[in-house]
Amino acid sequence: MRLALLRSWPLAARVPLVVAGLMVAVSLVIGQVVLHRLARDQERHVADLAAAYLDGVSTAVLPAAIRRDVWEAYDALDRARARYEGLAIVFAVVTEPAGHVLAASDPRLFPVGSLLPEALLERYGPDGRLTIDEAVELAFLARELREGAVPVGRILVELDIGALIAERRAVRWTLVGVNAGLTLLLAGLGVMLVRRMLGPVAILRAHVAAGAEGPIRPVDEAVIARQPAEFAALFRAFNRTAQAVAEREAMAARLAAEEKYALLGKLASAMAHEVNNPLGGMFTAVDTLARHGDDPAVRARSIGFLRRGLTDIRDVVRAGLVTSKGRIGEGPLTRADLDDLRHLVRHEIERRGLSLVWRNDLARGLALDRTMVRQIALNLLLNACAASPPGGCVRLEARVAAGAFALTVRDDGPGLPAAARALLAAPDAPPPGGGLGLWTAARLAAALGGRITSADGAPGTSITLRVPLADGALADVA
């Protein structure tokens, strides 16, 4: 949690903080080394002085200790204390081999013949080396008195080392104060230096943030000239990137405009194609009315045909070809809707010298978009007419089988080209050349929830539209 909080701080604060922490760690190590060295030097100095003191006292006290002369021993201790004023001697005691006090610098504290307390004797090491108790600021030192190999007594000395401990304490606080001051000073300087070093980063961040609201603005060359070499190179790389992005955006805008015009042209071409298909049949119906308008049956059939053709044209215009046709048409697909297509293609059939075989097995209406199905069927019929040679045959078969509406158109042509077959499989974009009718039929089939497949025969090709029917539509057919 603390690490995550530290990472959320700005870099201008984190770097000086880390440096300050490292400086504190280094100062602690250096302080411990200095204090340890100081303590060792002090102990060696006290030990040297105390050894010199004990050497002199031992020489003066040894004859008195051999004779058990109390006054002579006391006089030797008193004269030695005056001679070694550099040592803060608390007391000095000469004991007999049995441990009884022979003489002491303070006879009231240690009477002659008394035994020293065990707690005091435990402070002296068995080998007589200097021992220091910093808690009470005292040092203890002992020396054996011997005449040859015969022990004649022992000298015990207690020293006041309060001045030395105070000196250590002063040195410790001096180190703490100096290190803390240097740490704070250098941390403050680090904050200023890091902020100054991160100034170019702030400039770059401002330019990048401005790019989210509009075009990326390059860094001025005058600003780049004031930066260090590393940041100057970074700014120039940013300017090159900004220029490349601006060029790509301009190119994308031009391409989008060109694509828009291309799509508008293809849309207009497709709409003209779809409107032109029923117009041919409508002209045929007008000619029929002109020649046989007196016949009520012919007149009614031709007027109905014209009405449905105009409805198809209206739906095509409203829907904008394929893009807006996602809803079910105004009425179900009926047998008559498909039979009308015979009149629409009759002119093309007669013009090319073809024959037309028509099989429409729809008995009831289907819940399918009639306009879209008619557009698909008309496109497939016109393509079959264009592919069949003179004297050939075009066949249409419409039926309901295996839970789906199936419409098959066959021709006697040379077969479907590979590009057209690929267009039926993936009608994502209008074809650059021909094949607009197949592309439109494939898009309409996808909008109906169905698909168009092709199969080569001998001769010719059969193209089948298959649209699954809902349960209600199947029940209606049944």
Side-chain angles (χ1 to χ4, degrees), residues 185-199:
L185 177 62
L186 294 178
L189 291 175
V191 170
M192 293 179 7
L193 288 175
V194 171
R195 284 184 176 177
R196 184 178 180 85
M197 292 171 61
L198 293 179

Side-chain angles (χ1 to χ4, degrees), residues 11 17 39 123 126-127 145 151 158 169 191 223 236 282 289 332 422:
L11 194 61
L17 183 62
R123 294 175 178 263
D127 53 357
L145 295 175
E158 181 177 295
R169 192 177 297 115
V191 170
V223 176
R236 290 190 175 93
M282 293 172 67
L289 281 174

Side-chain angles (χ1 to χ4, degrees), residues 212-347:
E213 301 176 357
I216 300 178
R217 181 169 52 88
V219 183
D220 294 337
E221 190 63 33
V223 176
I224 297 177
R226 296 195 297 268
Q227 306 305 322
E230 296 83 357
F231 285 106
L234 178 62
F235 283 0
R236 290 190 175 93
F238 172 79
N239 286 350
R240 290 193 297 271
T241 302
Q243 182 179 1
V245 170
E247 292 176 355
R248 282 197 295 268
E249 289 179 351
M251 184 179 298
R254 289 195 300 269
L255 290 176
E258 294 175 0
E259 183 69 17
K260 179 180 69 175
Y261 292 130
L263 289 177
L264 285 175
K266 291 177 181 179
L267 178 62
S269 175
M271 290 190 68
H273 181 273
E274 293 304 312
V275 170
N276 186 59
N277 287 339
L279 282 179
M282 293 172 67
F283 280 118
T284 301
V286 171
D287 293 340
T288 301
L289 281 174
R291 290 196 301 268
H292 308 288
D294 296 336
D295 189 344
V298 173
R299 185 171 60 250
R301 185 168 59 251
S302 299
I303 292 175
F305 179 78
L306 288 172
R307 188 183 302 276
R308 286 188 293 272
L310 290 173
T311 300
D312 286 345
I313 293 175
R314 181 198 63 187
D315 291 341
V316 170
V317 174
R318 284 181 178 178
L321 194 57
V322 180
T323 55
S324 301
K325 290 185 177 181
R327 58 179 178 84
I328 299 298
E330 296 179 355
L333 176 67
T334 64
R335 181 186 182 93
D337 292 326
L338 292 179
D339 287 340
D340 284 344
L341 300 179
R342 283 187 296 183
H343 300 285
L344 291 177
V345 299
R346 187 177 64 181
H347 176 72

